[in-house]
Amino acid sequence: MRNYLYFRPSRETFNEVTSLFDFLWPTATAMWNLRWQVDGYLRIRPQATVHELSNRFVIGSGIHGANLKRACVDLSWEQQQEQFAKFLLINIFALHESYLKRVLEDLGRYSKDLENQLQFPTATDASGNKKGIWGAIDSITATESTMLVNGLYSQLSGHSRNSKPILDNLMKCYRYFKECRNSITHNGSFADRKTADAYAEFSTIATTTDLGVTEVPLHTPVTVGAPVSLSLRGVVGFCDIILKIIVTLDAELSRSKLAEEVFKAYWLEKHQRRYTLKTDLSKKKNQIKQLIARLNLPTPPATDEFETFLRVNQLVG
């Protein structure tokens, strides 16, 4: 079965994550090879200065201020991998937070509160009201689209990364890495109580079964006041958790009545002329299915509700 995503921000974020790794892996590989080259050069010329190393390896690049002795000798490969991990962690959260904002805007439901709720596992407040990710989903999908539920939801939720039954577990993993990110960007990499609490909650479900993964993202215990420790392998594994969350949200939010306006916008963008539907019943159904498929959406099993929607909105004749 083909993996479909309903919202454009979902598809774009997948592409952006791919682009991020397309930059990260060659860069890390280049650094690994540069370390060997600098080490080899220094074995022959141990007296080489930073300036000499720059002339040998950097000249012509347009880069200034590179201290290759510090980068390739003083820093261990493990330390540099952690720097790559921090870079990746900060960027993956930037992409995800942008995704949440854009998909809520597409639904006409953006608020800072909903964006925030979509970044926490489900809980209840003092009044017994549901909050967190399922509270936000329930709010957005309070009125469902029977057309989209009956026509597209089963295929959207059939995506290989869909993780609806364990979404809250994924959010506990999310909170741990998010608090690590917050410690890095707002607290000089030192963990606070929120980071420690997020680690404690995540550690209770950090199993392959609870997260639906073949390998749990590598993570280390947190001590308040001590620097957080990251591994590149762990953050790479977490990126897959992010993609699972996006896929699951994409399918769940597609159930909303509000998502019909998104469908309408797709239709108007792709089909710039008003199609006249065929009179033969079988041919008409096939025609509608083909027109929907051109929107990069699953082919619906039935078309009656789509036909009604298209006619009511004067999208077909």
Side-chain angles (χ1 to χ4, degrees), residues 281-297:
L281 182 61
S282 178
K283 292 181 178 180
K284 179 173 61 177
K285 288 182 177 181
N286 287 333
Q287 182 186 18
I288 294 173
K289 288 181 179 182
Q290 290 172 6
L291 291 171
I292 292 174
R294 292 178 195 172
L295 306 181
N296 200 26
L297 292 173

Side-chain angles (χ1 to χ4, degrees), residues 67-186:
N67 187 324
L68 296 188
K69 191 170 276 189
R70 184 168 61 235
C72 298
V73 178
D74 296 345
L75 283 177
S76 69
W77 177 234
E78 289 70 28
Q79 288 173 309
Q80 286 187 325
Q81 285 187 83
E82 185 163 18
Q83 291 177 331
F84 280 119
K86 290 179 180 180
F87 166 84
L88 179 59
L89 189 68
I90 290 169
N91 277 272
I92 198 66
F93 275 111
L95 291 177
H96 186 65
E97 289 168 4
S98 172
Y99 159 73
L100 293 176
K101 184 174 187 292
R102 287 185 290 150
V103 78
L104 289 173
E105 287 174 342
D106 282 1
L107 288 164
R109 281 295 306 274
Y110 177 76
S111 72
K112 196 64 182 176
D113 178 64
L114 277 177
E115 181 184 348
N116 188 55
Q117 293 300 315
L118 287 170
Q119 297 184 69
F120 283 86
T122 310
T124 54
D125 60 22
S127 302
N129 299 314
K130 188 186 293 185
K131 62 178 184 178
I133 193 161
W134 279 110
I137 292 171
D138 289 350
S139 172
I140 295 167
T141 61
T143 303
E144 288 191 337
S145 165
T146 56
M147 175 184 78
L148 296 175
V149 169
N150 295 336
L152 301 181
Y153 177 71
S154 64
Q155 295 181 74
L156 293 169
S157 60
H159 193 291
S160 60
R161 279 192 168 98
N162 191 282
S163 305
K164 180 178 179 180
I166 56 171
L167 181 57
D168 276 320
N169 289 343
L170 301 186
M171 296 310 300
K172 291 175 183 178
C173 178
Y174 180 95
R175 287 314 313 169
Y176 164 71
F177 282 97
K178 179 69 180 284
E179 294 303 339
C180 287
R181 193 291 303 260
N182 290 345
S183 295
I184 292 166
T185 56
H186 303 307

